[in-house]
């Protein structure tokens, strides 16, 4: 029986984009269901009753929640094509460490830039975090080495937000972290990435409206 795969998602979500890239890397056909997060569907509430958040992957009727958990699940189930996590346990641990760093420390700065008035201070903090990531990248083409992998996939969706971070946070990622920008361009050459990421201008307008609504201009 063919696999039935559905993704519950919402377009600007970097977390949903991670899953889209992973599915594209593996060449998996799936149904994409766009959620309205202001009016969540009964399916989303049923499939992710704990957090009630997207993305949710539904594989043959069974839900998997949390983007990094979903990506690891996809890598385990469809292991024959384009492995995302390295096979060496230490390298796997390193990959998970940096993905966790992204979702804790880096995300915290990103949220402060987009959703608070501390955007300038958060901009400086973000540059410090990005420099750490740039150090981890070193001279390698991708975080995992020669090939695009788990950390690249976890991080690249945020590239669509760089323009917003630069504008609201009054920073220049390009001049502070040139190697990271070169890495992003390398990732964007991959079809799985370019066809999945969000349009930076659309993201900017989305958050411009959000800031207006929240009285944060
Ligand atoms: C984050 C998902 C999330 O924040 C993951 O999947 O990695 N740690 C999770 N999803 C947001 C949309 S993207 O900002 C969401 O669904 N929000 C709805 C809500 O909070 O009600």
């Amino acid at each position: 029986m063919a696999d039935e795969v559905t993704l519950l998602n919402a377009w600007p979500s970097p977390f949903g984009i991670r899953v889209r890239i992973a599915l594209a890397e593996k060449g998996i056909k799936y149904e994409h269901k766009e959620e309205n997060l202001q009016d969540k569907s009964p399916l989303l509430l049923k499939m992710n009753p704990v957090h009630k958040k997207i993305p949710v992957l539904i594989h043959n009727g069974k839900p998997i929640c949390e983007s990094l958990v979903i990506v690891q699940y996809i890598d385990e189930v469809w292991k024959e094509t384009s492995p995302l996590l390295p096979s060496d346990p230490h390298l796997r641990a390193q990959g998970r460490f940096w993905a966790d760093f992204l979702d804790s420390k880096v995300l915290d700065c990103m949220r402060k830039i987009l959703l608070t008035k501390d955007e300038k201070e958060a901009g400086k903090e973000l540059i410090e975090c990005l420099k750490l990531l740039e150090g981890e990248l070193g001279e390698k083409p991708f975080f995992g080495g020669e090939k695009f992998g788990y950390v690249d996939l976890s991080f690249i969706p945020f590239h669509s937000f760089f323009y917003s971070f630069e504008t609201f946070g009054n920073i220049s990622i390009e001049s502070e972290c040139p190697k990271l920008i070169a890495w992003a361009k390398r990732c964007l050459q991959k079809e799985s990435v370019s066809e999945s990421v969000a349009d930076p201008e659309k993201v900017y307008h989305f958050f411009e409206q959000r800031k207006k609504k929240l009285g944060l201009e």
Side-chain angles (χ1 to χ4, degrees):
M1 202 183 76
D3 283 303
E4 262 184 42
V5 183
T6 304
L7 173 62
L8 308 184
N9 195 17
W11 77 266
S13 168
F15 310 104
I17 292 165
R18 285 175 174 167
V19 180
R20 293 188 53 175
I21 298 174
L23 291 167
E25 277 288 307
K26 302 282 181 179
I28 300 158
K29 293 217 167 15
Y30 64 98
E31 185 185 355
H32 186 278
K33 284 195 177 161
E34 186 73 16
E35 280 286 331
N36 173 2
L37 296 180
Q38 311 313 316
D39 182 19
K40 295 171 186 171
S41 73
L43 184 63
L44 174 59
L45 300 177
K46 183 177 165 206
M47 293 292 159
N48 191 354
V50 175
H51 295 303
K52 306 176 178 66
K53 289 186 179 189
I54 59 91
V56 179
L57 188 81
I58 310 172
H59 182 205
N60 296 332
K62 289 183 281 185
I64 306 102
C65 304
E66 287 293 313
S67 62
L68 295 175
V69 175
I70 300 172
V71 170
Q72 293 182 44
Y73 174 85
I74 292 172
D75 203 31
E76 283 171 18
V77 173
W78 291 278
K79 49 180 174 288
E80 270 70 36
T81 352
S82 308
L84 297 168
L85 276 140
S87 49
D88 175 77
H90 184 252
L91 293 177
R92 284 169 87 85
Q94 285 295 100
R96 289 185 178 122
F97 170 84
W98 286 108
D100 180 69
F101 176 72
L102 280 171
D103 279 10
S104 48
K105 191 98 177 86
V106 187
L107 202 62
D108 198 42
C109 300
M110 294 177 177
R111 284 210 170 110
K112 272 199 234 157
I113 297 179
L114 298 176
L115 300 170
T116 74
K117 280 193 172 171
D118 299 332
E119 48 196 16
K120 304 281 181 297
E121 193 192 311
K124 285 187 203 135
E125 279 175 39
L126 179 65
I127 291 292
E128 279 171 33
C129 288
L130 295 182
K131 285 194 171 168
L132 285 172
L133 282 156
E134 200 175 50
E136 170 59 17
L137 178 68
E139 299 307 318
K140 305 187 294 283
F142 295 105
F143 280 90
E146 292 304 310
K147 279 195 186 155
F148 179 84
Y150 181 65
V151 179
D152 305 290
L153 179 151
S154 305
F155 188 17
I156 194 62
F158 294 103
H159 177 256
S160 304
F161 292 64
F162 278 16
Y163 174 65
S164 302
F165 299 146
E166 291 189 317
T167 315
F168 297 128
N170 196 26
I171 49 173
S172 168
I173 300 176
E174 175 114 48
S175 59
E176 298 271 6
C177 307
K179 282 187 194 161
L180 218 50
I181 297 296
W183 158 82
K185 287 184 181 152
R186 220 170 285 131
C187 293
L188 285 164
Q189 280 167 8
K190 292 180 71 70
E191 207 177 297
S192 60
V193 176
S194 62
E195 71 187 10
S196 306
V197 291
D199 173 7
E201 273 194 36
K202 226 174 133 187
V203 170
Y204 175 75
H205 290 304
F206 178 85
F207 283 103
E208 203 183 24
Q209 294 302 319
R210 203 54 167 331
K211 275 184 177 269
K212 263 187 203 154
K213 243 189 204 165
L214 296 170
L216 296 171
E217 298 153 279

